[in-house]
Amino acid sequence: MERVTMADVANKANVSKSTVSQYINNRFEYMSLETKKRIECAIDELNYQPNIIARSLKQKKTYTIGVIVANILHTFSTQVIRAIEDECQLKNVNVIVCNADDQPSKERKYIETLRAKQVDGLIIFPTGGNLDLYKKLEKSGYPLVFVDRSVENTDITSVLLDNEKASFLAVDHLVKKGYRNIAFLTTSIEMNITPRIERMNGFKKALQKHNLPLLEQFCAGEQIHKMQEKIHFMFSQDEVPDAIICGNDLTLLEVLKFCRKKSLIIPTDIALVSIDEVSFSEIYNPPITVVTQPSYEIGTYAAKQLLKKADDHEKTEETIIRFEPQLVERSST
Amino acid sequence: MERVTMADVANKANVSKSTVSQYINNRFEYMSLETKKRIECAIDELNYQPNIIARSLKQKKTYTIGVIVANILHTFSTQVIRAIEDECQLKNVNVIVCNADDQPSKERKYIETLRAKQVDGLIIFPTGGNLDLYKKLEKSGYPLVFVDRSVENTDITSVLLDNEKASFLAVDHLVKKGYRNIAFLTTSIEMNITPRIERMNGFKKALQKHNLPLLEQFCAGEQIHKMQEKIHFMFSQDEVPDAIICGNDLTLLEVLKFCRKKSLIIPTDIALVSIDEVSFSEIYNPPITVVTQPSYEIGTYAAKQLLKKADDHEKTEETIIRFEPQLVERSST
DNA sequence: CTGTTAGCGCCTTCAC
DNA sequence: GTGAAGGCGCTAACAG
């Protein structure tokens, strides 16, 4: 175990702890070359490594941030996390990632323990279930950034996709391709989760714009484990969809599962466009048309915002930042 | 910002800091109900949260472990990490995940900064490039567990797949199905990375067992960005493979890309089995036959081992633990 | 049952 | 140029 402390180094080098401290922090200005060398030697003879915990206690900074993601199963989440980690790496800060598993209670627990661990700030994909806590953090000036979802009645910086536009892109594309019975399907909208709601609204508006009727059974949010049933229902009505917009990657998976089960040919029997990229979209048979989010940019931006807040503790002006979605046409439409 | 400290609580409740400390640590045995209540009130009036950093400094324990993964792009890595996180959550320890990106220098840096942050132990998917460091950690008794890969000349607990068996399962299956020109392809074997080497050796032994000849160009390790070329070469010889075993998920992706480009029909033109599960194996057209690792069990086991070591600091007896692979037959063979 | 007293390992004035 | 001293917030004997 690491036992060697600054005092040991000081002893060995015949200087005081403070001098060693200076050395560690690269304050060489007033240090004689000779003592510098002695300290250097002592350090690597003893194989000394500063204890960052102790430093953190003093400096009230841990060079660690926390990320609490609502549901890590989404490809989008993992991509954003990757971007955050890369950005933080550049600034030499570590990242602790926690998965709230869509449960506000877990989220709350994580927020509390991460704060207790004195992380310098938090990036949260909010479940939406802890408004009081969010507000308390906001009021106390704690560095905080929301990603993917926003929370009403707060001014917390939120980095989001232009979700309505994502739906517009999908609908416009399908209409142009000649599809008219377009359905929209996504995961549960019970918790009023921003992207799902906004994408659904966007879908409805886009239909209007194209003077297409909105059939109730063609627009749904449903829990994953009831999704098959829902799709089945969609296809058992008089009017059957000729295209489905999947509100996110998990929905796409379910729809593909259904197509396979029913031997539906894509895009002949049914066209598909997914909002959110998936790992296999290019190599799937057929390759899947997709509306992508710039997830890497979103993550990088969020991290930069947070690190800035953590640094100078001044509020940023903007509170909601929207990124542009983009349609990638492949062969499923 | 959180300013309130134990002293504040002590003041407010008219007790000493130590009493508050007792309270925080649930040592109520000798505490009068009345002071207990007073402290309780003070705490939530002030909205006090203990500073875990300070506690860590004292206790020399951070309730945080580090995971350094050689390459986070592998599905296997992410699954193991998920398992580790779940296991640690149960024990209330946090996890810091770092991606070494296959670079020993990055790995070294992460090991050092995580140690400096006093994490209670490290789970490493070793790049293999830091033998001296591994040995130093081992000698100092620092809690350490290797996953996925082992390192020669160390006795560090390593949690691995029975890789040779994985190849045997794949070959046996293909032979039974009537394939005879079986090829094996994986990512670069320059760094002697355990699973790649072992799977390749297993492949060779399995061919022998079935009295099948080993064609040199049918057994290769190649860097991802040169993989297309390599596959192309394989298919441009006199003898062409009728089945390919992909040594890992990234290889599978490349092979699928190739099949798509060349419009090869699976399994008619070429049969495919992948060692390592992928997210889309069930919904792909056709669904992909796979040899899976019990990645969740592997992660859980590794985490348990590490937490045990971190707790009682005694060495575990076993050093290499092998888990059993399993063949999942689908339609690509 | 509760308070006093020392640190944990480091950083930071401020003397010298 | 360097050292002494105090303190970050908490825990852990040990008194009382």
Short mmCIF file of all heavy atoms in Angstrom, two decimals, chain B residues 266-319:
data_model
loop_
_atom_site.label_atom_id
_atom_site.label_comp_id
_atom_site.label_asym_id
_atom_site.label_seq_id
_atom_site.Cartn_x
_atom_site.Cartn_y
_atom_site.Cartn_z
N ILE B 266 -25.85 -14.75 -46.64
CA ILE B 266 -25.55 -15.53 -45.45
C ILE B 266 -26.74 -16.43 -45.17
O ILE B 266 -27.87 -15.94 -45.16
CB ILE B 266 -25.33 -14.60 -44.23
CG1 ILE B 266 -24.25 -13.55 -44.57
CG2 ILE B 266 -24.96 -15.39 -42.99
CD1 ILE B 266 -24.16 -12.42 -43.57
N PRO B 267 -26.60 -17.71 -44.94
CA PRO B 267 -25.35 -18.47 -44.89
C PRO B 267 -25.03 -19.19 -46.19
O PRO B 267 -24.09 -19.98 -46.21
CB PRO B 267 -25.65 -19.50 -43.80
CG PRO B 267 -27.11 -19.78 -43.98
CD PRO B 267 -27.74 -18.54 -44.50
N THR B 268 -25.78 -18.92 -47.26
CA THR B 268 -25.56 -19.68 -48.50
C THR B 268 -24.15 -19.46 -49.05
O THR B 268 -23.40 -20.42 -49.29
CB THR B 268 -26.58 -19.24 -49.58
OG1 THR B 268 -27.76 -18.82 -48.93
CG2 THR B 268 -26.86 -20.37 -50.53
N ASP B 269 -23.80 -18.22 -49.27
CA ASP B 269 -22.47 -17.93 -49.80
C ASP B 269 -21.40 -18.09 -48.73
O ASP B 269 -20.30 -18.57 -48.98
CB ASP B 269 -22.42 -16.50 -50.34
CG ASP B 269 -23.36 -16.32 -51.51
OD1 ASP B 269 -23.64 -17.31 -52.21
OD2 ASP B 269 -23.83 -15.18 -51.72
N ILE B 270 -21.75 -17.66 -47.56
CA ILE B 270 -20.76 -17.71 -46.48
C ILE B 270 -21.49 -17.83 -45.14
O ILE B 270 -22.44 -17.08 -44.88
CB ILE B 270 -19.87 -16.44 -46.53
CG1 ILE B 270 -18.77 -16.49 -45.45
CG2 ILE B 270 -20.69 -15.17 -46.34
CD1 ILE B 270 -17.59 -17.31 -45.83
N ALA B 271 -21.07 -18.78 -44.33
CA ALA B 271 -21.66 -18.91 -42.99
C ALA B 271 -20.85 -18.06 -42.01
O ALA B 271 -19.66 -17.82 -42.22
CB ALA B 271 -21.65 -20.36 -42.55
N LEU B 272 -21.52 -17.62 -40.94
CA LEU B 272 -20.85 -16.72 -40.00
C LEU B 272 -21.13 -17.15 -38.56
O LEU B 272 -22.29 -17.41 -38.21
CB LEU B 272 -21.42 -15.31 -40.18
CG LEU B 272 -20.52 -14.21 -40.75
CD1 LEU B 272 -19.66 -14.72 -41.88
CD2 LEU B 272 -21.38 -13.04 -41.19
N VAL B 273 -20.09 -17.25 -37.77
CA VAL B 273 -20.34 -17.30 -36.33
C VAL B 273 -19.41 -16.32 -35.65
O VAL B 273 -18.26 -16.16 -36.03
CB VAL B 273 -20.27 -18.75 -35.73
CG1 VAL B 273 -19.62 -19.73 -36.64
CG2 VAL B 273 -19.66 -18.75 -34.36
N SER B 274 -19.98 -15.64 -34.68
CA SER B 274 -19.24 -14.60 -33.99
C SER B 274 -18.96 -15.04 -32.57
O SER B 274 -19.84 -15.55 -31.90
CB SER B 274 -20.08 -13.32 -33.96
OG SER B 274 -19.59 -12.43 -32.99
N ILE B 275 -17.72 -14.88 -32.15
CA ILE B 275 -17.44 -15.06 -30.72
C ILE B 275 -17.64 -13.69 -30.09
O ILE B 275 -17.03 -12.71 -30.53
CB ILE B 275 -16.00 -15.56 -30.48
CG1 ILE B 275 -15.80 -16.88 -31.22
CG2 ILE B 275 -15.73 -15.74 -29.00
CD1 ILE B 275 -14.43 -17.51 -31.03
N ASP B 276 -18.52 -13.60 -29.15
CA ASP B 276 -19.01 -12.35 -28.54
C ASP B 276 -20.40 -12.06 -29.09
O ASP B 276 -20.62 -12.08 -30.30
CB ASP B 276 -18.15 -11.11 -28.84
CG ASP B 276 -16.98 -10.96 -27.88
OD1 ASP B 276 -16.81 -11.83 -27.02
OD2 ASP B 276 -16.26 -9.96 -28.01
N GLU B 277 -21.26 -11.79 -28.20
CA GLU B 277 -22.64 -11.42 -28.56
C GLU B 277 -22.65 -9.98 -29.06
O GLU B 277 -21.77 -9.18 -28.73
CB GLU B 277 -23.50 -11.58 -27.30
CG GLU B 277 -24.97 -11.34 -27.45
CD GLU B 277 -25.65 -12.30 -28.42
OE1 GLU B 277 -25.56 -12.06 -29.62
OE2 GLU B 277 -26.29 -13.27 -27.95
N VAL B 278 -23.62 -9.65 -29.91
CA VAL B 278 -23.82 -8.25 -30.30
C VAL B 278 -25.31 -7.90 -30.14
O VAL B 278 -26.16 -8.78 -30.15
CB VAL B 278 -23.41 -7.99 -31.77
CG1 VAL B 278 -21.90 -8.05 -31.92
CG2 VAL B 278 -24.08 -8.98 -32.69
N SER B 279 -25.57 -6.60 -30.04
CA SER B 279 -26.93 -6.17 -29.71
C SER B 279 -27.95 -6.64 -30.74
O SER B 279 -29.09 -6.91 -30.41
CB SER B 279 -26.98 -4.65 -29.61
OG SER B 279 -26.73 -4.08 -30.88
N PHE B 280 -27.51 -6.74 -31.99
CA PHE B 280 -28.48 -6.95 -33.05
C PHE B 280 -28.54 -8.40 -33.54
O PHE B 280 -29.20 -8.69 -34.53
CB PHE B 280 -28.17 -6.03 -34.23
CG PHE B 280 -26.76 -6.17 -34.73
CD1 PHE B 280 -26.43 -7.15 -35.64
CD2 PHE B 280 -25.77 -5.32 -34.27
CE1 PHE B 280 -25.14 -7.30 -36.10
CE2 PHE B 280 -24.45 -5.46 -34.73
CZ PHE B 280 -24.14 -6.45 -35.65
N SER B 281 -27.87 -9.30 -32.86
CA SER B 281 -27.75 -10.66 -33.40
C SER B 281 -29.10 -11.32 -33.63
O SER B 281 -29.28 -12.06 -34.58
CB SER B 281 -26.88 -11.53 -32.49
OG SER B 281 -27.44 -11.58 -31.22
N GLU B 282 -30.07 -11.02 -32.79
CA GLU B 282 -31.37 -11.67 -32.94
C GLU B 282 -32.22 -11.07 -34.04
O GLU B 282 -33.07 -11.75 -34.61
CB GLU B 282 -32.15 -11.60 -31.63
CG GLU B 282 -31.59 -12.53 -30.57
CD GLU B 282 -32.50 -12.58 -29.36
OE1 GLU B 282 -33.72 -12.36 -29.52
OE2 GLU B 282 -32.00 -12.83 -28.26
N ILE B 283 -32.04 -9.80 -34.28
CA ILE B 283 -32.93 -9.15 -35.24
C ILE B 283 -32.28 -8.96 -36.59
O ILE B 283 -32.88 -8.41 -37.50
CB ILE B 283 -33.39 -7.78 -34.72
CG1 ILE B 283 -32.18 -6.94 -34.33
CG2 ILE B 283 -34.34 -7.93 -33.56
CD1 ILE B 283 -32.45 -5.48 -34.34
N TYR B 284 -31.04 -9.40 -36.72
CA TYR B 284 -30.38 -9.26 -38.01
C TYR B 284 -31.02 -10.21 -39.02
O TYR B 284 -31.65 -11.19 -38.65
CB TYR B 284 -28.89 -9.56 -37.87
CG TYR B 284 -28.07 -9.01 -39.01
CD1 TYR B 284 -27.76 -7.66 -39.07
CD2 TYR B 284 -27.61 -9.83 -40.03
CE1 TYR B 284 -27.04 -7.14 -40.12
CE2 TYR B 284 -26.88 -9.32 -41.09
CZ TYR B 284 -26.60 -7.96 -41.12
OH TYR B 284 -25.88 -7.45 -42.17
N ASN B 285 -30.85 -9.90 -40.28
CA ASN B 285 -31.29 -10.80 -41.34
C ASN B 285 -30.08 -11.43 -42.01
O ASN B 285 -29.40 -10.76 -42.79
CB ASN B 285 -32.08 -10.03 -42.41
CG ASN B 285 -33.43 -9.61 -41.91
OD1 ASN B 285 -34.08 -10.36 -41.20
ND2 ASN B 285 -33.85 -8.40 -42.27
N PRO B 286 -29.80 -12.66 -41.81
CA PRO B 286 -30.43 -13.56 -40.85
C PRO B 286 -29.87 -13.34 -39.45
O PRO B 286 -28.77 -12.79 -39.32
CB PRO B 286 -29.98 -14.93 -41.37
CG PRO B 286 -28.60 -14.65 -41.90
CD PRO B 286 -28.66 -13.29 -42.50
N PRO B 287 -30.56 -13.82 -38.44
CA PRO B 287 -30.01 -13.78 -37.07
C PRO B 287 -28.68 -14.51 -37.00
O PRO B 287 -28.48 -15.50 -37.72
CB PRO B 287 -31.08 -14.50 -36.26
CG PRO B 287 -32.34 -14.26 -37.02
CD PRO B 287 -31.95 -14.29 -38.47
N ILE B 288 -27.80 -13.98 -36.18
CA ILE B 288 -26.41 -14.44 -36.21
C ILE B 288 -26.11 -15.49 -35.13
O ILE B 288 -26.39 -15.28 -33.95
CB ILE B 288 -25.48 -13.24 -35.98
CG1 ILE B 288 -25.91 -12.07 -36.86
CG2 ILE B 288 -24.02 -13.65 -36.14
CD1 ILE B 288 -25.03 -11.74 -37.97
N THR B 289 -25.52 -16.58 -35.55
CA THR B 289 -25.04 -17.59 -34.61
C THR B 289 -23.83 -17.06 -33.87
O THR B 289 -22.95 -16.45 -34.47
CB THR B 289 -24.65 -18.87 -35.37
OG1 THR B 289 -25.81 -19.41 -35.99
CG2 THR B 289 -24.06 -19.89 -34.41
N VAL B 290 -23.80 -17.34 -32.60
CA VAL B 290 -22.86 -16.64 -31.75
C VAL B 290 -22.31 -17.55 -30.65
O VAL B 290 -23.01 -18.45 -30.20
CB VAL B 290 -23.64 -15.43 -31.16
CG1 VAL B 290 -23.39 -15.26 -29.70
CG2 VAL B 290 -23.33 -14.17 -31.94
N VAL B 291 -21.08 -17.36 -30.26
CA VAL B 291 -20.58 -17.98 -29.03
C VAL B 291 -20.52 -16.87 -27.99
O VAL B 291 -19.77 -15.91 -28.15
CB VAL B 291 -19.19 -18.59 -29.22
CG1 VAL B 291 -18.68 -19.15 -27.90
CG2 VAL B 291 -19.22 -19.67 -30.28
N THR B 292 -21.32 -16.99 -26.96
CA THR B 292 -21.39 -15.89 -25.98
C THR B 292 -20.48 -16.14 -24.79
O THR B 292 -20.22 -17.27 -24.42
CB THR B 292 -22.80 -15.73 -25.39
OG1 THR B 292 -23.20 -16.99 -24.83
CG2 THR B 292 -23.77 -15.28 -26.42
N GLN B 293 -20.07 -15.05 -24.20
CA GLN B 293 -19.42 -15.11 -22.91
C GLN B 293 -20.47 -14.74 -21.87
O GLN B 293 -21.31 -13.90 -22.13
CB GLN B 293 -18.32 -14.08 -22.78
CG GLN B 293 -17.40 -13.93 -23.94
CD GLN B 293 -16.18 -13.11 -23.55
OE1 GLN B 293 -15.67 -13.25 -22.46
NE2 GLN B 293 -15.70 -12.28 -24.44
N PRO B 294 -20.36 -15.30 -20.68
CA PRO B 294 -21.26 -14.86 -19.62
C PRO B 294 -20.75 -13.56 -19.03
O PRO B 294 -20.23 -13.52 -17.93
CB PRO B 294 -21.20 -16.01 -18.61
CG PRO B 294 -19.85 -16.61 -18.82
CD PRO B 294 -19.49 -16.38 -20.26
N SER B 295 -20.89 -12.48 -19.81
CA SER B 295 -20.20 -11.24 -19.44
C SER B 295 -20.71 -10.66 -18.12
O SER B 295 -19.93 -10.12 -17.34
CB SER B 295 -20.30 -10.21 -20.56
OG SER B 295 -21.50 -10.33 -21.25
N TYR B 296 -21.99 -10.82 -17.90
CA TYR B 296 -22.51 -10.27 -16.65
C TYR B 296 -21.92 -11.00 -15.45
O TYR B 296 -21.50 -10.38 -14.47
CB TYR B 296 -24.04 -10.35 -16.63
CG TYR B 296 -24.64 -9.37 -15.68
CD1 TYR B 296 -24.91 -8.05 -16.07
CD2 TYR B 296 -24.90 -9.74 -14.36
CE1 TYR B 296 -25.42 -7.15 -15.18
CE2 TYR B 296 -25.43 -8.83 -13.46
CZ TYR B 296 -25.68 -7.54 -13.87
OH TYR B 296 -26.19 -6.63 -12.98
N GLU B 297 -21.85 -12.32 -15.56
CA GLU B 297 -21.27 -13.10 -14.47
C GLU B 297 -19.80 -12.75 -14.28
O GLU B 297 -19.31 -12.65 -13.15
CB GLU B 297 -21.39 -14.61 -14.74
CG GLU B 297 -22.78 -15.18 -14.57
CD GLU B 297 -23.69 -14.86 -15.74
OE1 GLU B 297 -23.22 -14.23 -16.72
OE2 GLU B 297 -24.88 -15.22 -15.68
N ILE B 298 -19.13 -12.58 -15.38
CA ILE B 298 -17.71 -12.24 -15.30
C ILE B 298 -17.52 -10.92 -14.56
O ILE B 298 -16.70 -10.81 -13.65
CB ILE B 298 -17.09 -12.17 -16.72
CG1 ILE B 298 -17.01 -13.58 -17.30
CG2 ILE B 298 -15.73 -11.51 -16.69
CD1 ILE B 298 -16.50 -13.64 -18.74
N GLY B 299 -18.32 -9.94 -14.93
CA GLY B 299 -18.22 -8.64 -14.26
C GLY B 299 -18.56 -8.73 -12.79
O GLY B 299 -17.85 -8.18 -11.94
N THR B 300 -19.63 -9.43 -12.50
CA THR B 300 -20.04 -9.57 -11.10
C THR B 300 -18.95 -10.25 -10.29
O THR B 300 -18.59 -9.81 -9.19
CB THR B 300 -21.32 -10.41 -11.02
OG1 THR B 300 -22.30 -9.82 -11.89
CG2 THR B 300 -21.86 -10.44 -9.61
N TYR B 301 -18.42 -11.31 -10.85
CA TYR B 301 -17.39 -12.06 -10.15
C TYR B 301 -16.16 -11.18 -9.88
O TYR B 301 -15.63 -11.15 -8.78
CB TYR B 301 -16.99 -13.28 -10.97
CG TYR B 301 -16.08 -14.23 -10.23
CD1 TYR B 301 -16.61 -15.23 -9.43
CD2 TYR B 301 -14.70 -14.12 -10.33
CE1 TYR B 301 -15.79 -16.09 -8.74
CE2 TYR B 301 -13.86 -14.97 -9.65
CZ TYR B 301 -14.41 -15.97 -8.85
OH TYR B 301 -13.58 -16.81 -8.16
N ALA B 302 -15.76 -10.47 -10.91
CA ALA B 302 -14.58 -9.60 -10.77
C ALA B 302 -14.81 -8.57 -9.67
O ALA B 302 -13.95 -8.34 -8.82
CB ALA B 302 -14.27 -8.91 -12.09
N ALA B 303 -15.99 -7.96 -9.69
CA ALA B 303 -16.29 -6.95 -8.69
C ALA B 303 -16.29 -7.55 -7.29
O ALA B 303 -15.72 -6.98 -6.36
CB ALA B 303 -17.65 -6.32 -8.99
N LYS B 304 -16.88 -8.72 -7.16
CA LYS B 304 -16.91 -9.35 -5.83
C LYS B 304 -15.50 -9.64 -5.34
O LYS B 304 -15.18 -9.38 -4.18
CB LYS B 304 -17.71 -10.66 -5.91
CG LYS B 304 -19.20 -10.42 -5.90
CD LYS B 304 -19.96 -11.71 -5.67
CE LYS B 304 -21.45 -11.41 -5.48
NZ LYS B 304 -22.32 -12.46 -5.99
N GLN B 305 -14.69 -10.18 -6.21
CA GLN B 305 -13.31 -10.46 -5.84
C GLN B 305 -12.61 -9.19 -5.37
O GLN B 305 -11.96 -9.17 -4.34
CB GLN B 305 -12.55 -11.03 -7.03
CG GLN B 305 -12.97 -12.43 -7.41
CD GLN B 305 -12.54 -13.45 -6.39
OE1 GLN B 305 -11.40 -13.45 -5.95
NE2 GLN B 305 -13.47 -14.30 -5.98
N LEU B 306 -12.78 -8.14 -6.15
CA LEU B 306 -12.07 -6.91 -5.82
C LEU B 306 -12.55 -6.35 -4.49
O LEU B 306 -11.75 -5.96 -3.64
CB LEU B 306 -12.26 -5.85 -6.91
CG LEU B 306 -11.41 -4.62 -6.62
CD1 LEU B 306 -9.94 -4.93 -6.87
CD2 LEU B 306 -11.83 -3.43 -7.43
N LEU B 307 -13.86 -6.33 -4.31
CA LEU B 307 -14.38 -5.75 -3.08
C LEU B 307 -13.93 -6.57 -1.88
O LEU B 307 -13.64 -6.02 -0.82
CB LEU B 307 -15.91 -5.67 -3.15
CG LEU B 307 -16.43 -4.67 -4.21
CD1 LEU B 307 -17.94 -4.71 -4.30
CD2 LEU B 307 -15.96 -3.25 -3.90
N LYS B 308 -13.82 -7.87 -2.07
CA LYS B 308 -13.34 -8.72 -0.98
C LYS B 308 -11.90 -8.36 -0.65
O LYS B 308 -11.55 -8.14 0.50
CB LYS B 308 -13.45 -10.19 -1.38
CG LYS B 308 -13.45 -11.12 -0.18
CD LYS B 308 -13.90 -12.52 -0.55
CE LYS B 308 -12.77 -13.28 -1.20
NZ LYS B 308 -13.16 -14.64 -1.61
N LYS B 309 -11.10 -8.28 -1.69
CA LYS B 309 -9.70 -7.91 -1.45
C LYS B 309 -9.59 -6.56 -0.75
O LYS B 309 -8.79 -6.37 0.14
CB LYS B 309 -8.96 -7.81 -2.79
CG LYS B 309 -8.62 -9.13 -3.42
CD LYS B 309 -7.62 -8.90 -4.53
CE LYS B 309 -7.44 -10.14 -5.37
NZ LYS B 309 -6.27 -10.06 -6.25
N ALA B 310 -10.41 -5.62 -1.20
CA ALA B 310 -10.35 -4.29 -0.62
C ALA B 310 -10.79 -4.31 0.83
O ALA B 310 -10.34 -3.50 1.64
CB ALA B 310 -11.23 -3.33 -1.42
N ASP B 311 -11.64 -5.25 1.15
CA ASP B 311 -12.13 -5.33 2.52
C ASP B 311 -11.11 -5.94 3.46
O ASP B 311 -10.66 -5.31 4.40
CB ASP B 311 -13.40 -6.19 2.54
CG ASP B 311 -14.60 -5.35 2.84
OD1 ASP B 311 -14.52 -4.11 2.65
OD2 ASP B 311 -15.63 -5.89 3.28
N ASP B 312 -10.76 -7.19 3.18
CA ASP B 312 -9.93 -7.88 4.17
C ASP B 312 -8.47 -7.96 3.79
O ASP B 312 -7.65 -8.46 4.54
CB ASP B 312 -10.49 -9.28 4.46
CG ASP B 312 -10.81 -10.01 3.17
OD1 ASP B 312 -10.19 -9.67 2.14
OD2 ASP B 312 -11.66 -10.91 3.20
N HIS B 313 -8.18 -7.46 2.61
CA HIS B 313 -6.78 -7.38 2.19
C HIS B 313 -6.03 -8.68 2.23
O HIS B 313 -4.80 -8.70 2.30
CB HIS B 313 -6.03 -6.37 3.06
CG HIS B 313 -5.97 -5.06 2.37
ND1 HIS B 313 -5.03 -4.80 1.42
CD2 HIS B 313 -6.74 -3.98 2.47
CE1 HIS B 313 -5.24 -3.58 0.97
NE2 HIS B 313 -6.27 -3.06 1.59
N GLU B 314 -6.76 -9.76 2.24
CA GLU B 314 -6.05 -11.02 2.16
C GLU B 314 -6.09 -11.51 0.72
O GLU B 314 -7.03 -11.22 -0.02
CB GLU B 314 -6.66 -12.05 3.10
CG GLU B 314 -8.07 -12.45 2.73
CD GLU B 314 -8.65 -13.42 3.76
OE1 GLU B 314 -8.37 -13.24 4.97
OE2 GLU B 314 -9.36 -14.32 3.35
N LYS B 315 -5.07 -12.23 0.37
CA LYS B 315 -5.01 -12.72 -1.00
C LYS B 315 -6.05 -13.81 -1.23
O LYS B 315 -6.34 -14.59 -0.33
CB LYS B 315 -3.62 -13.29 -1.28
CG LYS B 315 -2.58 -12.22 -1.49
CD LYS B 315 -1.34 -12.82 -2.14
CE LYS B 315 -0.37 -11.70 -2.51
NZ LYS B 315 0.91 -12.24 -2.98
N THR B 316 -6.59 -13.83 -2.40
CA THR B 316 -7.45 -14.95 -2.76
C THR B 316 -6.55 -16.05 -3.30
O THR B 316 -5.48 -15.79 -3.84
CB THR B 316 -8.44 -14.53 -3.85
OG1 THR B 316 -7.83 -13.52 -4.65
CG2 THR B 316 -9.70 -13.98 -3.23
N GLU B 317 -7.00 -17.25 -3.15
CA GLU B 317 -6.18 -18.39 -3.53
C GLU B 317 -6.04 -18.50 -5.05
O GLU B 317 -4.95 -18.48 -5.60
CB GLU B 317 -6.77 -19.70 -3.00
CG GLU B 317 -7.67 -19.55 -1.78
CD GLU B 317 -8.91 -18.73 -2.06
OE1 GLU B 317 -9.55 -18.97 -3.10
OE2 GLU B 317 -9.23 -17.83 -1.25
N GLU B 318 -7.18 -18.61 -5.71
CA GLU B 318 -7.14 -18.81 -7.15
C GLU B 318 -6.55 -17.59 -7.82
O GLU B 318 -6.75 -16.47 -7.37
CB GLU B 318 -8.55 -18.98 -7.71
CG GLU B 318 -9.46 -19.78 -6.83
CD GLU B 318 -10.92 -19.51 -7.14
OE1 GLU B 318 -11.47 -18.51 -6.65
OE2 GLU B 318 -11.48 -20.32 -7.89
N THR B 319 -5.86 -17.79 -8.93
CA THR B 319 -5.42 -16.61 -9.64
C THR B 319 -6.09 -16.49 -10.99
O THR B 319 -6.44 -15.41 -11.41
CB THR B 319 -3.89 -16.56 -9.77
OG1 THR B 319 -3.49 -17.51 -10.74
CG2 THR B 319 -3.22 -16.87 -8.46
#
